Amino acid sequence: MTTKEATYTYALRLGDDALILGHRLSELCSRGPILEEDLALTNISLDMIGRAQALLKYAADTENNGNTEDDIAYRRAENHYYNHLLVEQPNGDFAHTIARQLLISVFEYLFYTELEKSRDENLSAIAKKVTKEVKYHMQHAIDWTIRLGDGTNESHKRMQTAINDMWMYSGELFEMDEVDQYLFREGVAVDLIPLKAHWQNRIQTVLTKATLVTPEDGYMQTGSKKGVHSENLGHILSEMQYLQRSYPDAKW
Amino acid sequence: MHNEHSDAHFQLRIDNGEHIEPKDYMPEGYRKHLIRQISQHAHSEVIGMQPEGNWITRAPSLRSKQILLAKIQDEGGHGLYLYSAAETLGVSRSELIEQLQSGKAKYSSIFNYPALNWADIGAIGWLVDGAAIVNQVSLQRTSYGPYSRGMVRICKEESFHQRQGYEIMAKMMKGTKEQQDMAQDAMNRWWWPALMMFGPHDTDSPHSSDAVKWKIKRETNDELRQKFIDKTIPQAELIGLKVPDNNIQLDEKTGHYTISEINWDEFYRVISGHGPCNKQRLDHHIKYHEEGAWVREAAEAYKQKHLKKELETA
Amino acid sequence: MATDTQLDLWEVFIQSKSGLPYIHAGSIHASDVKMAMQNARDIYTRRGEGTSIWVVPSKHISASNPDDNDMLFDPSNDKVYRHPTFYVMPEGAKNI
């Protein structure tokens, strides 16, 4: 493995997280529980797609074979996407959307704060921008988790169920494979192992404040770093890639 | 001396070009007309999110996806500004939503047409927003202060909407044969409904005369429609789109285009509920409003529990 | 179902640049201060319009009654001595 190859994969993984979660959130447009929240979720989605654009462009530039960020975003096969399983999970009810947001945005806040120190200048620059955005996403998710957890009986139950349902996808966030390890040694990538304790602390604090129970770690789903996904991703892609695949000669 | 609470005094203020503010005296008819018009406008923005929303997940590039999302988001925002303007007249957003969902309040019929191919996103931005902008620019001078202020903000934000639509159309007309066909197909389907957006002819428009007298409406339906026709036909020709009307003629003397008669039967049919998507649009709105009820209730319950604490720490 | 399903009404004031006054931007709905602040941010600063936000529940704003306008505002119309142009300066006076 060369630094170039590893960096390409690394940028792709981060870009895919943003791409797929941005896509999931965009599905909620005109479906928010109140108009203001509709706009709030769209803002988060726009941050994500912007981030995907920056990271996939960096991946394309690193690969340097004439592909654009759009080629990368729209023309890969399912098993060449490397987003975490968590972000491809369906929006479900609003509690599930918020639970997914909580778990990922607390992780991303910790992650991108570390990535700011990367020796890769491009990743570091992107991270500095993302940290600001994701800090807001995290606040938004925390506030809603607390409102729903400590709201009505129904919302409490729904929020607890949602956290429980999403929990098995959280383990993967902290997996280090050979790409992570290689780039960590190069001073490029983030060491995920020490992030876990910080993440657990923060999540537990929020859940406690929300009068919710932090789930026990059980079996954790895994596979995305090798391109093995849940059944959800294929459906996301069949929509997302529809025009690019149906009219391969067209420019949009 | 005028009684400040008389209709005559009110009309004098209007004639002097003054703005009316929420606490000022206004005739009941003026208030009612405003609530109906502003809420209809707000509902149109919100329902208008749906046809374009139909393509968000299939937008063909990262750039186009961001543009489309930002545009739909603006529409939600505009709905929100307009609901707020209506709320200054003493009606709550809750009531307005109820009127929409019960069918008592209308929204622009244009959104009862489906968005069937990607070029529809271009056509909606270019033609539908284009028509809306003609109307909205005029409404910036409307006599009711909060409505006028809302429209100023909306016009400022909308300026990119029409351009992004036209850009899509232009790009597709320069693209493959299939893309050109999609663009023309979208043009064929959206042209006439866009012209209908200005409403019936002035002679057949039941609310026009009061609205013009009160300067809620500053120009008539036909005047606004003509403005739109005159600027849009050359834009279509420039990028090679055919306007689906064989009787178009430019009157050299007036500088205005003449067109065939609009199919008013279709207009009234769609308004009365029989457009392709009337039921779908309302069902969607009701479904997500109802699915969100437990969330709003939770927020309310959380507030009640923590209100005291919040006031102490605020 | 609750009588009002749309949470509370708040007014939003935005300062576009430090040093400038806060200007009324519009309204939003929210159930608590945090939500109001976030909604104000998401709705009224999408195009870089602001560097600072105030939110206040609409019910806490009192507006003057237009019927009192003559009493409230007319009396200041004849206090011309409050304006610098009221005063006659000797010809040739500078920097005053």
Side-chain angles (χ1 to χ4, degrees), chain B residues 121-156:
Chain B
I121 299 307
I124 291 174
W126 173 44
L127 299 175
V128 175
D129 288 79
I133 287 165
V134 170
N135 198 18
Q136 287 166 347
V137 164
S138 174
L139 281 171
Q140 290 182 97
R141 297 179 295 128
T142 191
S143 60
Y144 186 57
Y147 192 22
S148 160
R149 289 193 284 278
M151 291 317 305
V152 169
R153 195 179 182 97
I154 288 171
C155 284
K156 216 185 279 173

Tab-separated table of all heavy atoms in Angstrom, chain B residues 121-156:
chain	number	residue	atom	x	y	z
B	121	ILE	N	-37.499	19.950	-13.419
B	121	ILE	CA	-36.874	20.801	-12.400
B	121	ILE	C	-36.408	22.107	-13.039
B	121	ILE	O	-36.548	23.186	-12.466
B	121	ILE	CB	-35.695	20.056	-11.720
B	121	ILE	CG1	-36.203	18.792	-11.033
B	121	ILE	CG2	-34.957	20.944	-10.729
B	121	ILE	CD1	-37.355	19.014	-10.062
B	122	GLY	N	-35.905	21.992	-14.265
B	122	GLY	CA	-35.556	23.200	-15.005
B	122	GLY	C	-36.791	24.032	-15.315
B	122	GLY	O	-36.817	25.245	-15.098
B	123	ALA	N	-37.825	23.358	-15.816
B	123	ALA	CA	-39.038	24.079	-16.216
B	123	ALA	C	-39.728	24.727	-15.020
B	123	ALA	O	-40.239	25.849	-15.109
B	123	ALA	CB	-39.992	23.120	-16.922
B	124	ILE	N	-39.722	24.041	-13.891
B	124	ILE	CA	-40.364	24.622	-12.706
B	124	ILE	C	-39.617	25.893	-12.287
B	124	ILE	O	-40.213	26.931	-12.039
B	124	ILE	CB	-40.424	23.593	-11.552
B	124	ILE	CG1	-41.405	22.463	-11.909
B	124	ILE	CG2	-40.862	24.270	-10.255
B	124	ILE	CD1	-41.433	21.322	-10.910
B	125	GLY	N	-38.295	25.810	-12.246
B	125	GLY	CA	-37.526	26.992	-11.856
B	125	GLY	C	-37.702	28.133	-12.844
B	125	GLY	O	-37.958	29.274	-12.469
B	126	TRP	N	-37.600	27.793	-14.108
B	126	TRP	CA	-37.627	28.834	-15.135
B	126	TRP	C	-39.041	29.399	-15.340
B	126	TRP	O	-39.247	30.609	-15.305
B	126	TRP	CB	-37.077	28.246	-16.440
B	126	TRP	CG	-37.198	29.129	-17.631
B	126	TRP	CD1	-36.922	30.469	-17.710
B	126	TRP	CD2	-37.625	28.728	-18.943
B	126	TRP	NE1	-37.150	30.917	-18.982
B	126	TRP	CE2	-37.577	29.874	-19.766
B	126	TRP	CE3	-38.027	27.508	-19.503
B	126	TRP	CZ2	-37.932	29.835	-21.120
B	126	TRP	CZ3	-38.368	27.473	-20.840
B	126	TRP	CH2	-38.323	28.624	-21.636
B	127	LEU	N	-40.022	28.506	-15.535
B	127	LEU	CA	-41.370	28.977	-15.861
B	127	LEU	C	-42.209	29.260	-14.615
B	127	LEU	O	-42.813	30.329	-14.495
B	127	LEU	CB	-42.089	27.939	-16.737
B	127	LEU	CG	-41.447	27.640	-18.092
B	127	LEU	CD1	-42.182	26.515	-18.804
B	127	LEU	CD2	-41.411	28.895	-18.959
B	128	VAL	N	-42.239	28.307	-13.690
B	128	VAL	CA	-43.117	28.482	-12.529
B	128	VAL	C	-42.574	29.582	-11.603
B	128	VAL	O	-43.295	30.496	-11.228
B	128	VAL	CB	-43.290	27.143	-11.775
B	128	VAL	CG1	-44.105	27.345	-10.510
B	128	VAL	CG2	-43.935	26.110	-12.682
B	129	ASP	N	-41.288	29.493	-11.287
B	129	ASP	CA	-40.717	30.561	-10.466
B	129	ASP	C	-40.683	31.869	-11.238
B	129	ASP	O	-40.867	32.943	-10.678
B	129	ASP	CB	-39.317	30.198	-9.979
B	129	ASP	CG	-39.360	29.126	-8.909
B	129	ASP	OD1	-39.512	27.947	-9.253
B	129	ASP	OD2	-39.282	29.477	-7.732
B	130	GLY	N	-40.454	31.751	-12.547
B	130	GLY	CA	-40.454	32.949	-13.382
B	130	GLY	C	-41.789	33.661	-13.312
B	130	GLY	O	-41.852	34.886	-13.176
B	131	ALA	N	-42.867	32.898	-13.393
B	131	ALA	CA	-44.199	33.496	-13.302
B	131	ALA	C	-44.436	34.036	-11.900
B	131	ALA	O	-44.969	35.137	-11.719
B	131	ALA	CB	-45.261	32.455	-13.655
B	132	ALA	N	-44.005	33.271	-10.916
B	132	ALA	CA	-44.219	33.708	-9.527
B	132	ALA	C	-43.466	35.011	-9.258
B	132	ALA	O	-43.976	35.903	-8.580
B	132	ALA	CB	-43.758	32.619	-8.564
B	133	ILE	N	-42.268	35.123	-9.812
B	133	ILE	CA	-41.459	36.311	-9.542
B	133	ILE	C	-42.119	37.574	-10.107
B	133	ILE	O	-42.130	38.616	-9.461
B	133	ILE	CB	-40.025	36.133	-10.109
B	133	ILE	CG1	-39.254	35.139	-9.228
B	133	ILE	CG2	-39.277	37.462	-10.141
B	133	ILE	CD1	-37.994	34.602	-9.869
B	134	VAL	N	-42.692	37.455	-11.289
B	134	VAL	CA	-43.380	38.614	-11.878
B	134	VAL	C	-44.437	39.124	-10.891
B	134	VAL	O	-44.553	40.322	-10.626
B	134	VAL	CB	-44.048	38.221	-13.215
B	134	VAL	CG1	-44.952	39.329	-13.710
B	134	VAL	CG2	-42.988	37.887	-14.250
B	135	ASN	N	-45.163	38.190	-10.333
B	135	ASN	CA	-46.206	38.517	-9.370
B	135	ASN	C	-45.609	39.078	-8.080
B	135	ASN	O	-46.087	40.056	-7.514
B	135	ASN	CB	-46.989	37.228	-9.099
B	135	ASN	CG	-48.339	37.511	-8.486
B	135	ASN	OD1	-48.826	38.628	-8.561
B	135	ASN	ND2	-48.915	36.494	-7.877
B	136	GLN	N	-44.528	38.439	-7.626
B	136	GLN	CA	-43.960	38.807	-6.330
B	136	GLN	C	-43.253	40.157	-6.372
B	136	GLN	O	-43.299	40.913	-5.407
B	136	GLN	CB	-42.992	37.708	-5.871
B	136	GLN	CG	-43.764	36.464	-5.416
B	136	GLN	CD	-42.881	35.242	-5.267
B	136	GLN	OE1	-41.732	35.238	-5.716
B	136	GLN	NE2	-43.400	34.212	-4.657
B	137	VAL	N	-42.609	40.451	-7.472
B	137	VAL	CA	-41.950	41.757	-7.594
B	137	VAL	C	-43.001	42.837	-7.445
B	137	VAL	O	-42.822	43.831	-6.744
B	137	VAL	CB	-41.220	41.866	-8.958
B	137	VAL	CG1	-40.862	43.313	-9.269
B	137	VAL	CG2	-39.964	41.005	-8.953
B	138	SER	N	-44.127	42.607	-8.078
B	138	SER	CA	-45.223	43.559	-7.993
B	138	SER	C	-45.737	43.670	-6.552
B	138	SER	O	-46.072	44.755	-6.080
B	138	SER	CB	-46.324	43.097	-8.947
B	138	SER	OG	-47.458	43.889	-8.827
B	139	LEU	N	-45.760	42.542	-5.853
B	139	LEU	CA	-46.301	42.528	-4.488
B	139	LEU	C	-45.381	43.168	-3.452
B	139	LEU	O	-45.789	43.395	-2.317
B	139	LEU	CB	-46.603	41.085	-4.065
B	139	LEU	CG	-47.899	40.501	-4.626
B	139	LEU	CD1	-47.976	39.014	-4.311
B	139	LEU	CD2	-49.111	41.220	-4.057
B	140	GLN	N	-44.138	43.452	-3.825
B	140	GLN	CA	-43.263	44.137	-2.869
B	140	GLN	C	-43.856	45.485	-2.476
B	140	GLN	O	-43.585	46.004	-1.413
B	140	GLN	CB	-41.872	44.375	-3.482
B	140	GLN	CG	-41.074	43.108	-3.662
B	140	GLN	CD	-39.689	43.388	-4.224
B	140	GLN	OE1	-38.725	43.480	-3.490
B	140	GLN	NE2	-39.594	43.534	-5.525
B	141	ARG	N	-44.688	46.049	-3.377
B	141	ARG	CA	-45.286	47.358	-3.095
B	141	ARG	C	-46.691	47.223	-2.520
B	141	ARG	O	-47.432	48.195	-2.452
B	141	ARG	CB	-45.327	48.182	-4.384
B	141	ARG	CG	-43.926	48.469	-4.935
B	141	ARG	CD	-44.026	49.279	-6.224
B	141	ARG	NE	-44.668	48.523	-7.295
B	141	ARG	CZ	-45.702	48.958	-8.024
B	141	ARG	NH1	-46.230	50.131	-7.794
B	141	ARG	NH2	-46.209	48.202	-8.977
B	142	THR	N	-47.061	46.017	-2.109
B	142	THR	CA	-48.406	45.818	-1.570
B	142	THR	C	-48.618	46.684	-0.331
B	142	THR	O	-47.656	47.040	0.358
B	142	THR	CB	-48.624	44.322	-1.265
B	142	THR	OG1	-49.998	44.110	-0.979
B	142	THR	CG2	-47.804	43.874	-0.060
B	143	SER	N	-49.865	47.006	-0.038
B	143	SER	CA	-50.120	48.033	0.993
B	143	SER	C	-49.947	47.526	2.424
B	143	SER	O	-49.779	48.319	3.339
B	143	SER	CB	-51.537	48.594	0.818
B	143	SER	OG	-52.489	47.558	0.960
B	144	TYR	N	-50.001	46.222	2.642
B	144	TYR	CA	-49.890	45.737	4.022
B	144	TYR	C	-48.417	45.542	4.393
B	144	TYR	O	-47.707	44.733	3.770
B	144	TYR	CB	-50.682	44.437	4.190
B	144	TYR	CG	-50.723	43.982	5.629
B	144	TYR	CD1	-51.219	44.815	6.630
B	144	TYR	CD2	-50.234	42.732	6.003
B	144	TYR	CE1	-51.234	44.420	7.958
B	144	TYR	CE2	-50.257	42.326	7.325
B	144	TYR	CZ	-50.755	43.175	8.299
B	144	TYR	OH	-50.759	42.784	9.613
B	145	GLY	N	-47.965	46.255	5.393
B	145	GLY	CA	-46.551	46.302	5.764
B	145	GLY	C	-45.883	44.943	5.914
B	145	GLY	O	-44.897	44.654	5.225
B	146	PRO	N	-46.384	44.071	6.792
B	146	PRO	CA	-45.710	42.775	6.987
B	146	PRO	C	-45.650	41.928	5.706
B	146	PRO	O	-44.666	41.224	5.466
B	146	PRO	CB	-46.586	42.087	8.047
B	146	PRO	CG	-47.178	43.211	8.824
B	146	PRO	CD	-47.434	44.300	7.818
B	147	TYR	N	-46.689	42.009	4.884
B	147	TYR	CA	-46.703	41.268	3.612
B	147	TYR	C	-45.635	41.847	2.688
B	147	TYR	O	-44.846	41.119	2.076
B	147	TYR	CB	-48.097	41.393	2.990
B	147	TYR	CG	-48.402	40.475	1.822
B	147	TYR	CD1	-47.693	39.290	1.608
B	147	TYR	CD2	-49.440	40.784	0.935
B	147	TYR	CE1	-48.011	38.458	0.543
B	147	TYR	CE2	-49.763	39.954	-0.128
B	147	TYR	CZ	-49.039	38.797	-0.320
B	147	TYR	OH	-49.350	37.965	-1.374
B	148	SER	N	-45.604	43.162	2.612
B	148	SER	CA	-44.631	43.837	1.759
B	148	SER	C	-43.199	43.500	2.188
B	148	SER	O	-42.342	43.168	1.364
B	148	SER	CB	-44.892	45.340	1.813
B	148	SER	OG	-43.769	46.055	1.400
B	149	ARG	N	-42.949	43.557	3.485
B	149	ARG	CA	-41.594	43.247	3.982
B	149	ARG	C	-41.216	41.799	3.669
B	149	ARG	O	-40.089	41.501	3.279
B	149	ARG	CB	-41.516	43.493	5.492
B	149	ARG	CG	-41.544	44.972	5.860
B	149	ARG	CD	-41.155	45.196	7.314
B	149	ARG	NE	-42.203	44.844	8.280
B	149	ARG	CZ	-43.226	45.639	8.614
B	149	ARG	NH1	-43.356	46.827	8.048
B	149	ARG	NH2	-44.114	45.259	9.511
B	150	GLY	N	-42.179	40.900	3.840
B	150	GLY	CA	-41.935	39.493	3.515
B	150	GLY	C	-41.602	39.334	2.039
B	150	GLY	O	-40.671	38.614	1.671
B	151	MET	N	-42.343	40.043	1.193
B	151	MET	CA	-42.114	39.909	-0.247
B	151	MET	C	-40.758	40.455	-0.661
B	151	MET	O	-40.123	39.919	-1.561
B	151	MET	CB	-43.222	40.625	-1.038
B	151	MET	CG	-44.588	39.987	-0.971
B	151	MET	SD	-44.638	38.198	-1.112
B	151	MET	CE	-43.780	37.946	-2.628
B	152	VAL	N	-40.314	41.516	0.010
B	152	VAL	CA	-38.994	42.071	-0.308
B	152	VAL	C	-37.927	41.019	-0.033
B	152	VAL	O	-37.041	40.757	-0.839
B	152	VAL	CB	-38.731	43.356	0.516
B	152	VAL	CG1	-37.271	43.786	0.400
B	152	VAL	CG2	-39.655	44.478	0.055
B	153	ARG	N	-38.052	40.391	1.124
B	153	ARG	CA	-37.087	39.356	1.481
B	153	ARG	C	-37.167	38.168	0.507
B	153	ARG	O	-36.156	37.631	0.070
B	153	ARG	CB	-37.399	38.889	2.914
B	153	ARG	CG	-36.276	38.111	3.522
B	153	ARG	CD	-36.545	37.655	4.938
B	153	ARG	NE	-35.354	36.980	5.388
B	153	ARG	CZ	-34.403	37.548	6.119
B	153	ARG	NH1	-34.531	38.783	6.531
B	153	ARG	NH2	-33.327	36.884	6.459
B	154	ILE	N	-38.374	37.786	0.177
B	154	ILE	CA	-38.573	36.651	-0.724
B	154	ILE	C	-37.986	36.943	-2.109
B	154	ILE	O	-37.287	36.116	-2.689
B	154	ILE	CB	-40.076	36.290	-0.810
B	154	ILE	CG1	-40.520	35.646	0.506
B	154	ILE	CG2	-40.362	35.381	-1.995
B	154	ILE	CD1	-42.012	35.430	0.632
B	155	CYS	N	-38.247	38.123	-2.616
B	155	CYS	CA	-37.733	38.467	-3.952
B	155	CYS	C	-36.207	38.434	-3.976
B	155	CYS	O	-35.602	37.985	-4.942
B	155	CYS	CB	-38.231	39.839	-4.386
B	155	CYS	SG	-39.950	39.798	-4.893
B	156	LYS	N	-35.610	38.936	-2.907
B	156	LYS	CA	-34.159	38.936	-2.832
B	156	LYS	C	-33.630	37.495	-2.917
B	156	LYS	O	-32.691	37.198	-3.637
B	156	LYS	CB	-33.744	39.565	-1.493
B	156	LYS	CG	-32.473	40.412	-1.582
B	156	LYS	CD	-32.037	40.907	-0.220
B	156	LYS	CE	-32.804	42.139	0.238
B	156	LYS	NZ	-32.489	42.501	1.636
